Amino acid sequence: ELKEMIRLLGIANNNINQVAKTANSNGSIDVKTYKTNYIELQKLIDEIMLLIRAPTKMEDIWQLPKSGQ
């Protein structure tokens, strides 16, 4: 679940960067691109929120590899 959340955050970050890049290069925001990215970003946020709210089994946490392993 954590890996999935990190993956979704990466996708969300890319969408935000696309909007910023377009705005900086054009001096304005393309409304169609902005709306498309906004909708995709909202879907990703919804998925992340589901993962955050999902119950976690303690056995799964204890079996996670330690940092650096």
Side-chain angles (χ1 to χ4, degrees):
E1 291 177 353
L2 180 59
K3 286 181 183 180
E4 177 66 6
M5 191 180 319
I6 291 169
R7 184 186 74 79
L8 293 172
L9 286 170
I11 293 170
N13 183 55
N14 288 339
N15 285 356
I16 292 168
N17 284 338
Q18 273 187 321
V19 171
K21 182 179 177 182
T22 301
N24 287 330
S25 65
N26 297 340
S28 63
I29 294 174
D30 176 51
V31 175
K32 182 180 178 185
T33 302
Y34 177 82
K35 284 182 180 180
T36 301
N37 282 310
Y38 175 83
I39 290 167
E40 182 63 28
L41 184 58
Q42 190 60 53
K43 288 177 187 176
L44 293 168
I45 290 169
D46 291 344
E47 286 183 55
I48 290 167
M49 293 307 295
L50 286 173
L51 288 171
I52 289 171
R53 292 182 181 130
T56 303
K57 296 177 186 174
M58 289 308 292
E59 309 88 60
D60 295 341
I61 293 173
W62 293 113
Q63 294 178 16
L64 290 175
K66 302 283 189 250
S67 179
Q69 292 184 348

